[in-house]
Amino acid sequence: KCGKIYSLFPSAAICEESTFAVSGSGSSYIIGYLDQEMANLKDKLPNQEQAIALCRKAVRSAIHRDGSSGGMVRMCILASDGIKEHTILP
């Protein structure tokens, strides 16, 4: 059993994604990076810690390259043992 990835929209719509989800003005800066990282995993899904590190690196890259990306991201991981919140700063 593996985790799932969802995109959440301001309209309250929720869409399930297959490998990763990105949105916002900085997303164009990191799509290629995420495609390459996922290809390097060779169809293996990253574990939770690897996924958090991948997300952190991608978000930092977007923040450094896009003036509209803001200064932080809040990430929530919903797991069987509860909800874990992470704040990603540049």
Side-chain angles (χ1 to χ4, degrees):
K1 188 174 182 179
C2 65
K4 299 196 184 279
I5 299 171
Y6 297 95
S7 290
L8 309 173
F9 299 94
S11 64
I14 300 172
C15 295
E16 187 175 337
E17 305 292 346
S18 59
T19 54
F20 60 84
V22 295
S23 63
S25 62
S27 63
S28 61
Y29 294 97
I30 59 175
I31 281 255
Y33 166 74
L34 291 172
D35 281 338
Q36 183 64 43
E37 289 297 311
M38 294 307 290
N40 289 342
L41 291 172
K42 298 183 182 0
D43 296 326
K44 291 186 336 184
L45 291 176
N47 65 35
Q48 183 173 310
E49 293 306 315
Q50 290 170 323
I52 291 169
L54 181 65
C55 182
R56 184 169 281 137
K57 188 171 181 181
V59 168
R60 283 184 177 146
S61 178
I63 288 171
H64 288 301
R65 287 172 176 77
D66 177 42
S68 299
S69 283
M72 62 182 277
V73 170
R74 291 183 187 97
M75 176 176 35
C76 293
I77 297 173
L78 310 171
S80 59
D81 60 344
I83 300 171
K84 297 177 185 170
E85 295 183 42
H86 298 267
T87 300
I88 299 173
L89 302 170

